[in-house]
Amino acid sequence: MKLKVMWITLLSVVLLIACGKPEYKSYDDYPVYEGTDLELTYTPQASSFRVWSPAADQVKLFLYDDGLDGPAVQVENMKRSEKGTWKLKLDGDLKGKFYTFQVKVGEKWMAETPGMWVKAVGVNGKRAAIIDMNETNPEGWELDRRPPFENPTDAVIYEVHMRDFSISPTSGMKHKGKFLAFTEKGTKNAAGQATGIDHLKELGVTHVHLLPSYDYASIDETKLEENKYNWGYDPLNYNVPEGGYSTDPYDPATRIREFKQMVQALHQAGIRVIMDVVYNHTFTGEDSHLNLLVPGYFYRFNADLTWSNASGCGNETASERPMMRKFIVESVLHWVNEYKVDGFRFDLMGIHDVETMNQVRAALDKVDPSILVYGEGWTAAGSPLPEEQRAVKVNTLKMDGIAVFSDDIRDVLKGNWTNSIPGFVAGTDSLEGALKFAIVGGVEHPQVDASQAVHTKMHYVNHPTQVINYASCHDDMCLVDKLRSRLPEGATEQEVKRFSKLAQTVVFTSQGIPFIYAGEELYRDKKGVNNTYQSPDSINKIYWDQKSTHLDVFEYYRDLIRLRREHPAFRLTTSEMVQQHLKFLDTSATPNVVAYTLNGNVNGDTWRDILVILNGNRKPVKVSIPKNEWDLVAHDGVINLQGMGIVKDTVLMVAPSSASILKK
Ligand code: CA
């Protein structure tokens, strides 16, 4: 069989060489290249180049001394090879050189490109760099290990932007806005409280989720002194770290080494690292590095041949095409194998197809099944990809081991983003059913009516391990701003603080994977600005002094995280466990209250019985509770896991807009 395949391959190569360019009727006819040596294979003896561009008529390689400017020192024609690839081998040690490819289709020469599989680049990512990856490893890298981690529901995810974390003078960090800020220990704010990585340890998060940190296009790396800001959802080179976050974007090895130093420091602190990956679109369509190699192939088009735009950014990639799928899978593996990244958040995952996401999961499982994969289970606009193939929320049932963001919990807490009505935490009526749906993590449950969910009116996950619970993220307004923008009549700032604590109490006690946006634990606001993707640092940065001015908020978050991490009852891994052990009380006598128990040392919990009462009312309410020798561990905006007093009565007065949690 193998011999036969070899003969056919050889024959087709011979035919290609004899006949020149093959004819393709559609992208589906493009041959698929299975090898893992695309674009550059470097050794000190030789550099081998292989470009996949089936429809090209000619491909050139340009070699440069400089990563940005200056003329080519060598130009070579590449030779047509198997499976739509073009090959060239240059002898000698080319380390330190830069290169680009140029593809001619028909009579048209495309612009030069560093390629799409490129792993090292010069400043601004225009030219690929030839480096020895082994030389980018920081000291002790081979000893680096992922911190222990078992079930997805054990995660506490902290979403942060590179600049927000360190850029403020109050951060006490030296490497402001850089990967290296995460390596700085012992940093403090003016009040002497821990900031930076020490703060993360004190807070107790298990995963740091970095906003886009691959090489993106919107920041000019030659003008970093302008201190421009961008979230980075404008991918340029997927397999390279962003130069603006390194101390020297001109030196191709520096950004790679410093990214690794960041991962290493976080791992040493017991924290795993998640990357935000944006394979769903590129910064530009026509002249992206993908399109300059193989025009059209990597994108979807409408019936009228215009670019389809499910990303809302002008283009959308086509993960269902074999070489795009291969690219996504191998790119993720590159970050795992080269950088020891521990998880991925897929931006607009609904643009990708279910099969690609399942292949990503399968590939990661072979490396380490504890690597997290989650994403936005929606698109930003319509797509030519049929709904049943999209990796959207309603198809999560077909994607085991992959989680989706629950806009259902987010919007029952803060209010539906499609209108301006406040949510459960600010006292809005009749959201009890929607809240129950969120509390069980979206799984089937005998006491939950999915038709009452805020958005997706069906049980869309197999297990609570497939849902990300959050009150806010980088998108839209942050939590405090959103609550302030939808104040119920007469509400005070003190109440906003209550609302925010109640919202996060739901996030951390609900079944699923909790996720917070960096700085929320310091009562962060962004001055009411919506979608701050290019707002200045003054809007986006974390003001670390707020750790002392809002110490009660920090302590509440820290203790909530501790409550969750010490009590596996809140981290159930299967829908069966949730169905059997999570029981809602009948609170119909007290509107805007939801209460439930987790009984019987669930999931090995040291507490036999747990009672959670969530009061959305802006007034105290009397709630009937089961008779027990309860010990109060959360009440009126304070948490004390040692207990704050025994409750033997069958009625408990719950403070306004707050949670009471009791245990036995
Ligand atoms: Ca860049």
Side-chain angles (χ1 to χ4, degrees):
M1 185 68 188
K2 265 195 175 149
L3 199 66
K4 194 174 162 194
V5 172
M6 268 178 58
W7 272 114
I8 292 170
T9 307
L10 192 62
L11 190 68
S12 55
V13 171
V14 171
L15 279 174
L16 278 180
I17 292 163
C19 312
K21 186 187 174 182
E23 291 300 324
Y24 303 110
K25 287 195 185 71
S26 79
Y27 297 135
D28 296 335
D29 295 341
Y30 282 17
V32 175
Y33 182 71
E34 306 280 357
T36 53
D37 63 339
L38 280 168
E39 298 191 3
L40 172 67
T41 305
Y42 165 82
T43 70
Q45 292 75 41
S47 291
S48 300
F49 301 89
R50 185 191 290 274
V51 169
W52 185 76
S53 190
D57 288 275
Q58 210 178 327
V59 180
K60 280 183 182 168
L61 175 107
F62 294 78
L63 209 58
Y64 296 95
D65 283 335
D66 189 272
L68 179 66
D69 297 313
V73 292
Q74 199 174 337
V75 183
E76 300 282 346
N77 281 314
M78 300 184 73
K79 288 198 174 59
R80 200 183 283 279
S81 179
E82 75 247 44
K83 298 286 182 187
T85 64
W86 299 73
K87 253 174 88 171
L88 176 72
K89 185 177 171 192
L90 295 178
D91 289 329
D93 192 350
L94 295 186
K95 191 171 76 179
K97 301 281 189 208
F98 296 85
Y99 65 92
T100 60
F101 303 111
Q102 192 179 25
V103 168
K104 185 184 174 197
V105 182
E107 290 309 305
K108 187 184 176 190
W109 279 104
M110 310 296 287
E112 286 173 57
T113 168
M116 61 188 278
W117 306 74
V118 54
K119 297 181 174 71
V121 293
V123 68
N124 277 339
K126 304 262 187 255
R127 292 178 179 175
I130 303 176
I131 64 166
D132 183 348
M133 287 301 256
N134 294 321
E135 292 174 3
T136 64
N137 293 344
E139 205 185 319
W141 183 242
E142 62 285 352
L143 301 173
D144 179 82
R145 295 287 176 274
R146 302 178 196 287
F149 178 72
E150 206 168 339
N151 299 307
T153 47
D154 297 341
V156 174
I157 300 172
Y158 186 87
E159 183 199 41
V160 66
H161 183 278
M162 206 57 62
R163 285 180 82 86
D164 299 6
F165 187 67
S166 55
I167 207 79
S168 162
T170 62
S171 76
M173 295 172 227
K174 281 202 298 283
H175 299 286
K176 292 186 169 57
K178 306 293 181 190
F179 296 130
L180 290 182
F182 283 88
T183 68
E184 295 184 47
K185 292 181 196 150
T187 60
K188 295 196 185 320
N189 67 7
Q193 293 160 310
T195 62
I197 198 166
D198 289 353
H199 168 82
L200 298 179
K201 281 173 80 171
E202 190 185 0
L203 183 60
V205 298
T206 64
H207 288 70
V208 161
H209 155 155
L210 304 165
L211 260 75
S213 298
Y214 52 76
D215 186 16
Y216 61 82
S218 54
I219 299 294
D220 186 341
E221 297 174 6
T222 67
K223 294 177 181 163
L224 293 179
E225 67 284 357
E226 290 177 352
N227 279 312
K228 290 230 171 96
Y229 184 97
N230 206 287
W231 279 345
Y233 291 93
D234 40 56
L236 182 67
N237 296 303
Y238 286 109
N239 293 343
V240 184
E242 162 58 21
Y245 298 151
S246 76
T247 58
D248 183 3
Y250 290 85
D251 173 37
T254 300
R255 61 178 81 186
I256 297 173
R257 185 180 303 109
E258 290 176 352
F259 193 106
K260 290 177 176 178
Q261 285 177 269
M262 168 181 68
V263 172
Q264 187 180 39
L266 282 162
H267 281 177
Q268 282 169 0
I271 298 169
R272 288 188 167 210
V273 181
I274 295 167
M275 280 190 70
D276 192 339
V277 286
V278 188
Y279 299 111
N280 67 77
H281 74 277
T282 47
F283 178 51
T284 55
E286 203 80 56
D287 57 356
S288 77
H289 294 162
L290 284 63
N291 205 55
L292 293 177
L293 280 185
V294 193
Y297 176 86
F298 294 105
Y299 296 89
R300 295 189 189 128
F301 294 86
N302 299 312
D304 63 0
L305 300 183
T306 55
W307 292 67
S308 60
N309 185 23
S311 68
C313 299
N315 62 76
E316 67 178 280
T317 56
S319 59
E320 69 280 14
R321 296 214 175 101
M323 289 301 283
M324 186 65 205
R325 179 176 289 160
K326 173 184 161 77
F327 176 74
I328 292 173
V329 171
E330 287 184 12
S331 175
V332 164
L333 287 175
H334 177 63
W335 287 104
V336 165
N337 294 328
E338 186 67 38
Y339 293 91
K340 304 188 186 185
V341 162
D342 310 287
F344 298 91
R345 175 266 190 198
F346 277 75
D347 186 65
L348 297 179
M349 186 170 72
I351 292 179
H352 303 313
D353 65 308
V354 166
E355 176 58 23
T356 295
M357 291 311 302
N358 283 334
Q359 288 199 16
V360 165
R361 180 71 268 174
L364 292 173
D365 281 347
K366 282 185 195 157
V367 181
D368 186 336
S370 71
I371 293 170
L372 286 178
V373 177
Y374 55 94
E376 292 182 301
W378 48 73
T379 61
S383 170
L385 188 71
E387 175 91 15
E388 65 271 16
Q389 290 177 36
R390 297 183 198 170
V392 288
K393 273 171 76 191
V394 295
N395 292 330
T396 314
L397 296 165
K398 297 187 260 186
M399 298 188 288
D400 273 325
I402 295 173
V404 288
F405 282 94
S406 171
D407 50 349
D408 300 290
I409 192 169
R410 183 195 70 199
D411 285 5
V412 71
L413 296 172
K414 295 188 306 190
N416 193 328
W417 71 280
T418 59
N419 61 43
S420 57
I421 303 166
F424 174 85
V425 300
T428 298
D429 295 333
S430 307
L431 289 170
E432 297 92 330
L435 185 61
K436 287 178 183 174
F437 178 86
I439 287 168
V440 300
V443 302
E444 276 192 52
H445 188 282
Q447 293 173 287
V448 173
D449 175 4
S451 73
Q452 295 186 27
V454 178
H455 294 293
T456 304
K457 299 180 189 307
M458 62 174 271
H459 298 288
Y460 52 82
V461 297
N462 296 311
H463 297 294
T465 48
Q466 287 184 283
V467 70
I468 302 285
N469 290 327
Y470 70 123
S472 84
C473 65
H474 66 276
D475 275 325
D476 301 318
M477 282 188 185
C478 65
L479 179 58
V480 169
D481 283 334
K482 180 68 104 184
L483 294 171
R484 284 178 184 156
S485 76
R486 295 181 170 195
L487 273 191
E489 208 182 322
T492 63
E493 184 62 24
Q494 278 313 305
E495 284 190 85
V496 171
K497 201 174 255 192
R498 284 183 164 277
F499 301 161
S500 72
K501 285 182 177 177
L502 176 57
Q504 297 295 10
T505 311
V506 176
V507 167
F508 280 100
T509 53
S510 290
Q511 303 302 326
I513 303 169
F515 169 110
I516 58 171
Y517 181 42
E520 285 180 337
E521 77 281 14
L522 308 181
Y523 205 59
R524 173 190 198 172
D525 69 53
K526 295 199 284 190
K527 301 183 169 57
V529 182
N530 212 3
N531 286 322
T532 59
Y533 73 98
Q534 55 180 6
S535 299
D537 290 327
S538 58
I539 300 291
N540 278 302
K541 68 187 172 190
I542 295 172
Y543 288 79
W544 289 95
D545 284 351
Q546 289 186 201
K547 193 168 175 178
S548 50
T549 50
H550 295 287
L551 184 62
D552 62 318
V553 174
F554 169 71
E555 289 178 341
Y556 193 80
Y557 273 74
R558 180 197 62 196
D559 294 346
L560 262 182
I561 291 170
R562 225 183 106 202
L563 166 73
R564 184 177 177 93
R565 291 192 66 179
E566 291 181 3
H567 293 282
F570 300 111
R571 313 196 307 264
L572 304 182
T573 53
T574 67
S575 55
E576 293 77 15
M577 290 168 93
V578 180
Q579 287 151 7
Q580 284 167 22
H581 299 285
L582 195 154
K583 311 272 188 219
F584 290 101
L585 304 188
D586 179 3
T587 47
S588 50
T590 45
N592 305 334
V593 170
V594 170
Y596 61 92
T597 56
L598 287 157
N599 289 340
N601 301 98
V602 188
N603 202 18
D605 209 296
T606 54
W607 291 345
R608 192 192 70 193
D609 303 326
I610 298 172
L611 171 60
V612 177
I613 309 169
L614 306 162
N615 177 20
N617 297 289
R618 293 169 56 205
K619 58 181 186 195
V621 289
K622 270 186 191 166
V623 179
S624 297
I625 61 172
K627 185 148 188 66
N628 205 335
E629 276 207 14
W630 294 112
D631 198 351
L632 207 51
V633 290
H635 189 66
D636 199 10
V638 177
I639 295 175
N640 184 341
L641 300 186
Q642 303 314 309
M644 295 185 283
I646 301 295
V647 179
K648 291 184 179 171
D649 205 349
T650 54
V651 171
L652 181 72
M653 184 69 89
V654 182
S657 316
S658 72
S660 288
I661 302 175
L662 303 90
K663 59 99 172 174
K664 166 65 185 173

PDB file of all heavy atoms in Angstrom, residues 139 156 285 294 319 376 395 502 504 534 559 574 579 604 606 637 643 659:
ATOM      1  N   GLU A 139      17.273  30.099  31.192  1.00  0.00           N
ATOM      2  CA  GLU A 139      17.948  29.149  32.058  1.00  0.00           C
ATOM      3  C   GLU A 139      16.920  28.311  32.836  1.00  0.00           C
ATOM      4  O   GLU A 139      15.945  28.846  33.366  1.00  0.00           O
ATOM      5  CB  GLU A 139      18.833  29.922  33.042  1.00  0.00           C
ATOM      6  CG  GLU A 139      19.995  29.115  33.564  1.00  0.00           C
ATOM      7  CD  GLU A 139      20.760  29.899  34.628  1.00  0.00           C
ATOM      8  OE1 GLU A 139      20.951  31.117  34.450  1.00  0.00           O
ATOM      9  OE2 GLU A 139      21.146  29.270  35.628  1.00  0.00           O
ATOM     10  N   VAL A 156      -9.436  28.673  38.065  1.00  0.00           N
ATOM     11  CA  VAL A 156      -9.906  30.031  38.345  1.00  0.00           C
ATOM     12  C   VAL A 156      -9.134  30.914  37.379  1.00  0.00           C
ATOM     13  O   VAL A 156      -7.918  31.093  37.512  1.00  0.00           O
ATOM     14  CB  VAL A 156      -9.631  30.449  39.802  1.00  0.00           C
ATOM     15  CG1 VAL A 156     -10.008  31.909  40.011  1.00  0.00           C
ATOM     16  CG2 VAL A 156     -10.378  29.554  40.780  1.00  0.00           C
ATOM     17  N   GLY A 285      -7.407  41.233   4.820  1.00  0.00           N
ATOM     18  CA  GLY A 285      -7.708  40.031   4.049  1.00  0.00           C
ATOM     19  C   GLY A 285      -6.793  39.906   2.849  1.00  0.00           C
ATOM     20  O   GLY A 285      -5.929  39.020   2.778  1.00  0.00           O
ATOM     21  N   VAL A 294      -1.284  31.965  -0.683  1.00  0.00           N
ATOM     22  CA  VAL A 294      -2.260  31.173  -1.445  1.00  0.00           C
ATOM     23  C   VAL A 294      -3.537  32.005  -1.571  1.00  0.00           C
ATOM     24  O   VAL A 294      -4.443  31.897  -0.739  1.00  0.00           O
ATOM     25  CB  VAL A 294      -2.585  29.841  -0.727  1.00  0.00           C
ATOM     26  CG1 VAL A 294      -3.349  28.908  -1.677  1.00  0.00           C
ATOM     27  CG2 VAL A 294      -1.337  29.163  -0.211  1.00  0.00           C
ATOM     28  N   SER A 319     -11.713  27.385   8.332  1.00  0.00           N
ATOM     29  CA  SER A 319     -11.093  26.263   9.054  1.00  0.00           C
ATOM     30  C   SER A 319     -11.474  24.907   8.464  1.00  0.00           C
ATOM     31  O   SER A 319     -10.786  23.923   8.695  1.00  0.00           O
ATOM     32  CB  SER A 319     -11.492  26.309  10.528  1.00  0.00           C
ATOM     33  OG  SER A 319     -12.902  26.241  10.650  1.00  0.00           O
ATOM     34  N   GLU A 376     -15.433  31.604  22.464  1.00  0.00           N
ATOM     35  CA  GLU A 376     -16.690  32.319  22.297  1.00  0.00           C
ATOM     36  C   GLU A 376     -17.553  31.508  21.339  1.00  0.00           C
ATOM     37  O   GLU A 376     -17.217  31.392  20.162  1.00  0.00           O
ATOM     38  CB  GLU A 376     -16.443  33.698  21.695  1.00  0.00           C
ATOM     39  CG  GLU A 376     -15.711  34.657  22.602  1.00  0.00           C
ATOM     40  CD  GLU A 376     -15.550  36.023  21.948  1.00  0.00           C
ATOM     41  OE1 GLU A 376     -14.950  36.103  20.862  1.00  0.00           O
ATOM     42  OE2 GLU A 376     -16.039  37.012  22.507  1.00  0.00           O
ATOM     43  N   ASN A 395     -23.827  23.870  19.571  1.00  0.00           N
ATOM     44  CA  ASN A 395     -23.116  22.668  19.126  1.00  0.00           C
ATOM     45  C   ASN A 395     -22.060  22.192  20.124  1.00  0.00           C
ATOM     46  O   ASN A 395     -21.280  21.283  19.816  1.00  0.00           O
ATOM     47  CB  ASN A 395     -22.471  22.906  17.756  1.00  0.00           C
ATOM     48  CG  ASN A 395     -23.521  23.064  16.663  1.00  0.00           C
ATOM     49  OD1 ASN A 395     -24.603  22.476  16.761  1.00  0.00           O
ATOM     50  ND2 ASN A 395     -23.226  23.847  15.645  1.00  0.00           N
ATOM     51  N   LEU A 502     -22.095  40.360  44.819  1.00  0.00           N
ATOM     52  CA  LEU A 502     -23.103  39.315  44.629  1.00  0.00           C
ATOM     53  C   LEU A 502     -22.903  38.623  43.278  1.00  0.00           C
ATOM     54  O   LEU A 502     -22.976  37.393  43.173  1.00  0.00           O
ATOM     55  CB  LEU A 502     -24.516  39.914  44.735  1.00  0.00           C
ATOM     56  CG  LEU A 502     -25.677  38.949  44.470  1.00  0.00           C
ATOM     57  CD1 LEU A 502     -25.636  37.733  45.404  1.00  0.00           C
ATOM     58  CD2 LEU A 502     -27.031  39.676  44.610  1.00  0.00           C
ATOM     59  N   GLN A 504     -20.150  38.198  41.559  1.00  0.00           N
ATOM     60  CA  GLN A 504     -19.011  37.273  41.574  1.00  0.00           C
ATOM     61  C   GLN A 504     -19.250  36.085  42.514  1.00  0.00           C
ATOM     62  O   GLN A 504     -18.700  35.005  42.294  1.00  0.00           O
ATOM     63  CB  GLN A 504     -17.721  37.999  41.964  1.00  0.00           C
ATOM     64  CG  GLN A 504     -17.305  39.085  40.985  1.00  0.00           C
ATOM     65  CD  GLN A 504     -16.923  38.572  39.599  1.00  0.00           C
ATOM     66  OE1 GLN A 504     -17.126  37.404  39.262  1.00  0.00           O
ATOM     67  NE2 GLN A 504     -16.377  39.453  38.777  1.00  0.00           N
ATOM     68  N   GLN A 534      -8.840  50.392  21.941  1.00  0.00           N
ATOM     69  CA  GLN A 534      -7.737  51.302  21.616  1.00  0.00           C
ATOM     70  C   GLN A 534      -7.767  52.550  22.493  1.00  0.00           C
ATOM     71  O   GLN A 534      -7.205  53.583  22.136  1.00  0.00           O
ATOM     72  CB  GLN A 534      -7.735  51.651  20.133  1.00  0.00           C
ATOM     73  CG  GLN A 534      -9.044  52.218  19.636  1.00  0.00           C
ATOM     74  CD  GLN A 534      -9.009  52.568  18.157  1.00  0.00           C
ATOM     75  OE1 GLN A 534      -8.045  52.283  17.460  1.00  0.00           O
ATOM     76  NE2 GLN A 534     -10.053  53.208  17.675  1.00  0.00           N
ATOM     77  N   ASP A 559     -11.251  35.510  49.195  1.00  0.00           N
ATOM     78  CA  ASP A 559     -11.909  34.494  50.013  1.00  0.00           C
ATOM     79  C   ASP A 559     -12.914  33.672  49.205  1.00  0.00           C
ATOM     80  O   ASP A 559     -13.099  32.485  49.476  1.00  0.00           O
ATOM     81  CB  ASP A 559     -12.571  35.151  51.230  1.00  0.00           C
ATOM     82  CG  ASP A 559     -11.526  35.750  52.173  1.00  0.00           C
ATOM     83  OD1 ASP A 559     -10.327  35.426  52.014  1.00  0.00           O
ATOM     84  OD2 ASP A 559     -11.897  36.551  53.056  1.00  0.00           O
ATOM     85  N   THR A 574     -19.457  16.363  36.427  1.00  0.00           N
ATOM     86  CA  THR A 574     -20.412  15.742  35.509  1.00  0.00           C
ATOM     87  C   THR A 574     -21.828  16.259  35.754  1.00  0.00           C
ATOM     88  O   THR A 574     -22.158  16.698  36.862  1.00  0.00           O
ATOM     89  CB  THR A 574     -20.444  14.207  35.685  1.00  0.00           C
ATOM     90  OG1 THR A 574     -20.995  13.909  36.975  1.00  0.00           O
ATOM     91  CG2 THR A 574     -19.059  13.586  35.553  1.00  0.00           C
ATOM     92  N   GLN A 579     -27.097  16.916  38.862  1.00  0.00           N
ATOM     93  CA  GLN A 579     -28.509  16.493  38.949  1.00  0.00           C
ATOM     94  C   GLN A 579     -28.812  15.835  40.289  1.00  0.00           C
ATOM     95  O   GLN A 579     -29.874  16.034  40.870  1.00  0.00           O
ATOM     96  CB  GLN A 579     -28.823  15.506  37.810  1.00  0.00           C
ATOM     97  CG  GLN A 579     -28.923  16.179  36.455  1.00  0.00           C
ATOM     98  CD  GLN A 579     -28.523  15.255  35.306  1.00  0.00           C
ATOM     99  OE1 GLN A 579     -28.289  14.062  35.501  1.00  0.00           O
ATOM    100  NE2 GLN A 579     -28.428  15.816  34.115  1.00  0.00           N
ATOM    101  N   GLY A 604     -16.446  14.718  47.543  1.00  0.00           N
ATOM    102  CA  GLY A 604     -15.383  14.637  48.551  1.00  0.00           C
ATOM    103  C   GLY A 604     -15.222  15.888  49.400  1.00  0.00           C
ATOM    104  O   GLY A 604     -14.185  16.083  50.044  1.00  0.00           O
ATOM    105  N   THR A 606     -15.286  18.464  52.428  1.00  0.00           N
ATOM    106  CA  THR A 606     -15.203  18.264  53.879  1.00  0.00           C
ATOM    107  C   THR A 606     -16.468  18.767  54.575  1.00  0.00           C
ATOM    108  O   THR A 606     -16.719  18.408  55.723  1.00  0.00           O
ATOM    109  CB  THR A 606     -13.996  19.023  54.469  1.00  0.00           C
ATOM    110  OG1 THR A 606     -14.089  20.399  54.061  1.00  0.00           O
ATOM    111  CG2 THR A 606     -12.690  18.430  53.984  1.00  0.00           C
ATOM    112  N   GLY A 637     -21.700  40.496  52.579  1.00  0.00           N
ATOM    113  CA  GLY A 637     -20.489  41.009  51.924  1.00  0.00           C
ATOM    114  C   GLY A 637     -19.190  40.651  52.610  1.00  0.00           C
ATOM    115  O   GLY A 637     -18.142  41.220  52.304  1.00  0.00           O
ATOM    116  N   GLY A 643     -16.116  30.270  59.852  1.00  0.00           N
ATOM    117  CA  GLY A 643     -17.465  30.352  60.413  1.00  0.00           C
ATOM    118  C   GLY A 643     -17.675  31.641  61.181  1.00  0.00           C
ATOM    119  O   GLY A 643     -16.759  32.162  61.819  1.00  0.00           O
ATOM    120  N   ALA A 659     -25.156  37.545  49.227  1.00  0.00           N
ATOM    121  CA  ALA A 659     -25.287  36.095  49.365  1.00  0.00           C
ATOM    122  C   ALA A 659     -25.000  35.702  50.801  1.00  0.00           C
ATOM    123  O   ALA A 659     -24.131  36.276  51.453  1.00  0.00           O
ATOM    124  CB  ALA A 659     -24.287  35.399  48.445  1.00  0.00           C
TER     125      ALA A 659
END
